Amino acid sequence: MDQKERQILVTIISTVLITGFYVWYVYQKHVVGNLEILNDFKFWGRSFLWLIPLAVVTQIVIHIIYAIINRIVTNEDVPSKTDEMDKLIELKAIRISHLIFTFGFIGAIGLLAFGVKPYVMFIILFSSGFLASMVSEIVKLYYYRRGI
Amino acid sequence: MGKCLINNNIRKLRFMAGEMTQQELADRTGVTRQTLIAIENGKYSPTLELAFRIARVFQLPIDEVFSFNEGEDTLSTKSKTE
């Protein structure tokens, strides 16, 4: 497994951990014993808004720590350069992840039309965003391993 | 993945160029070592620009570095049967 593949694995693991901890934290702090909050749009707005900077900052920190550990263990730098193959793989991954998120979005809005409660829409939106990001990384890993 | 239709002699040419390393060739052509490994192993077909850059490093015409594998090409076999 080379550097790019290892970096993708770090991203996958950190995304799962960050999202998992965040959902667990929000659930324990706000939702337990107060299910009514799920119908509060302000709660959903705040939860989404907080997740973005938290996820970005944590990802950056994790990648810095990974780069340091990688340098110590393998005596190699993490590649910072992107070339034509990286860009092509990135484009294919983005296309698939956008498709997944679009289906999630349409599904979420469609459920609203059928009278499902709005919090279900937010859960589906959040889940499809997470799934799209996971699939994007897995697709990248697949193309790096199998070729393009 | 579909089979790569572009064959190359990069491994042989690197050997003939004084066992040039993959990293050195990657640096001279402006790509990462991983991309060069993928090209050498037939897992990625480079753009025309990169193919020219690689050929220039070895000071050879492009068709002495890369060749088209017609036997594997489904399009050309289709057009022959039509």
Side-chain angles (χ1 to χ4, degrees), chain A:
Chain A
M1 186 170 280
D2 63 35
Q3 293 283 0
K4 285 262 165 60
E5 291 166 10
R6 263 183 258 153
Q7 263 182 305
I8 293 169
L9 269 185
V10 170
T11 307
I12 291 173
I13 294 166
S14 56
T15 305
V16 170
L17 288 179
I18 293 164
T19 313
F21 277 120
Y22 185 75
V23 169
W24 179 79
Y25 173 78
V26 169
Y27 181 77
Q28 291 294 327
K29 191 162 192 265
H30 300 289
V31 184
V32 171
N34 183 22
L35 287 174
E36 273 305 301
I37 201 169
L38 291 176
N39 296 315
D40 182 4
F41 283 11
K42 210 196 279 182
F43 159 74
W44 285 103
R46 282 182 178 166
S47 302
F48 273 90
L49 277 182
W50 270 108
L51 176 62
I52 297 165
L54 272 174
V56 170
V57 171
T58 320
Q59 283 280 8
I60 291 170
V61 171
I62 289 173
H63 275 87
I64 290 171
I65 294 168
Y66 165 73
I68 294 167
I69 294 171
N70 180 67
R71 174 78 192 164
I72 294 165
V73 175
T74 64
N75 208 23
E76 278 177 42
D77 285 326
V78 171
S80 54
K81 189 162 65 177
T82 52
D83 59 23
E84 56 178 53
M85 185 177 157
D86 299 319
K87 285 176 191 159
L88 191 60
I89 290 175
E90 184 78 35
L91 274 176
K92 282 180 183 269
I94 286 174
R95 193 175 62 179
I96 293 170
S97 73
H98 278 191
L99 196 71
I100 291 171
F101 187 72
T102 304
F103 275 119
F105 180 77
I106 292 169
I109 299 296
L111 284 175
L112 273 187
F114 285 105
V116 171
K117 288 196 170 177
Y119 74 83
V120 178
M121 177 198 75
F122 287 118
I123 291 171
I124 293 174
L125 272 184
F126 180 81
S127 308
S128 60
F130 174 72
L131 187 69
S133 133
M134 283 290 96
V135 170
S136 161
E137 296 304 318
I138 292 166
V139 166
K140 280 188 214 168
L141 195 61
Y142 174 80
Y143 282 127
Y144 276 118
R145 286 196 82 84
R146 300 292 300 273
I148 189 163

